Every structure is written in structure tokens, then in C-alpha cells.
Amino acid sequence: MPPMPARRSPFRAPSRPCAGQRGYSLVEVSIVTAIVLLIAIAGIPAINGYVIENKVPRVGEELQRFVARMKANAQGAGTAPYRDVDTGILANALRSSSIVAVDGSGASAVVAHGLGGAGTAGSGAMALSPAAVGDGGPGSGFALTLQDVNDAACPALASVMQRVSDVISVAGRGGAVTVKDALAEPPVPYDPILADAQCAEGDRNTFVFTVR
């Protein structure tokens, strides 16, 4: 019988590293890390804009419900049903919301809309105040003001709120410009192109929604 061929062992000795192989130096690792960080930092505004854009419909829904509740409560309350409203009423109505953040109570409460700004008093917050609309005096209507809104919310925020607002103004590229006035003669319909043209880049836009 011919001799059986020798079987190879299933366990192979570790191969020796080639003479040209070496690890990464600290300088190389640092360069790669810096590049990754730069890419991440450059992408933050785009990510933030995407988050804000997707949040607009939910913020709009909260405000639409609030407007509907205010109008229902004002039925039969005379010619100036909103003369005593303030941000505290808005804060109480939205305190349980998972979309906006509420801090404090009363007229000094902070209601952060989450669409730009720092979410503190005077930056990225919403305010509620009496307004004079049409031929009525102060309190015949009310105004919702959103400060420091990011351009990623333009003009979608106005488009959502135009369904429940009589007058809408946008301030960003210069002073406030009225983009809808249902109380004018003749009425001025909502103009999304004009609203978009007023929006400035960044958290620099103020929206005022006036309701009768």
C-alpha cells in the first residue's frame, strides 16, 4: 500500500507581520479625528433645520387647538373678550404639551416654541397679548407672537396658521410685513411667496398671528 499523505494540522502558527506593516501614528489618528469632527460640525445646521422643519406641523396643531379654545371661550363675552389675556393663559393651556416647553406661570411664564432661539424669555419664546382688530378696540382680538423662529420653519409655520388667523405678519428681512389680512377691504389672502421672501436666514424671524 502506498503511504498515506500527512494530514495538515488545523492549528496554524500565526503568520509573522510583514516588514512593511506598522500601526497608525498619533499624528495620523489626530488628523482623521479632526476631519470627522469638521464633517460633523458642518452637518449640525442641516440636521437642526431638518428637525425644525418636521416639528412645524406639530407646533401648528397645538396652536390651532389653542386658538379654537380661545374663540369658543370668548363666545358671548362682549366686544372685548380678550382684553385681559396674557402669556400665562397660553402657558396653562400648553403646560402638558410634549411639543413645546413651558417654564413658570402667570404673565412672566416662558413658552418655548422649539423652532429656533434659546427657548428663554425673549429668545425662542411665544407670547399672548390683547389686540385691536378691525373696528374693535383693544381686546377685540388677540395676538400670538413667536420670536426667533428659524428659517427652516418658513413659510410652513405661516401656512399652517393661516387657517385660523385673520392677520399674519412676518419680520425677518427688515420690518414686519403683512402676508395676510382677512379684515382688510378688500381682504388680502395669504401669500406664501411673500411670507417666504420675508424670512431671514437663521433664528431671526418673528411671526405674529392675530385672531378675532
Side-chain angles (χ1 to χ4, degrees):
M1 279 183 72
M4 297 290 291
R7 293 184 179 180
R8 294 184 178 179
S9 171
F11 304 101
R12 299 180 61 186
S15 57
R16 293 182 179 180
C18 297
Q21 286 184 334
R22 62 185 180 83
Y24 293 107
S25 69
L26 181 59
V27 174
E28 291 170 328
V29 172
S30 299
I31 292 174
V32 172
T33 302
I35 292 173
V36 171
L37 286 174
L38 287 174
I39 293 174
I41 292 172
I44 286 175
I47 295 173
N48 184 55
Y50 177 79
V51 172
I52 289 176
E53 185 177 0
N54 282 273
K55 194 174 182 180
V56 169
R58 293 181 293 166
V59 173
E61 288 174 4
E62 292 277 15
L63 295 181
Q64 285 177 338
R65 283 194 289 268
F66 174 76
V67 168
R69 187 183 313 166
M70 289 284 288
K71 295 179 75 170
N73 292 338
Q75 294 296 322
T79 58
Y82 308 110
R83 60 183 175 273
D84 296 322
V85 301
D86 58 33
T87 305
I89 294 175
L90 179 66
N92 289 337
L94 301 181
R95 195 172 299 278
S96 60
S97 171
S98 61
I99 307 303
V100 303
V102 177
D103 183 33
S105 60
S108 61
V110 176
V111 184
H113 50 65
L115 301 177
T120 58
S123 176
M126 295 188 282
L128 175 68
S129 60
V133 296
D135 297 329
S140 56
F142 64 89
L144 277 170
T145 302
L146 281 72
Q147 301 173 324
D148 302 314
V149 176
N150 188 272
D151 61 286
C154 296
L157 179 61
S159 296
V160 172
M161 290 298 293
Q162 63 94 13
R163 302 167 191 168
V164 296
S165 303
D166 294 295
V167 183
I168 300 175
S169 72
V170 182
R173 297 180 183 273
V177 173
T178 299
V179 298
K180 176 185 178 180
D181 191 347
L183 305 177
E185 291 294 341
V188 178
Y190 172 62
D191 188 340
I193 297 177
L194 180 60
D196 190 43
Q198 300 313 308
C199 289
E201 185 177 356
D203 300 346
R204 297 165 47 200
N205 304 290
T206 298
F207 288 77
V208 180
F209 304 104
T210 304
V211 181
R212 178 172 59 182

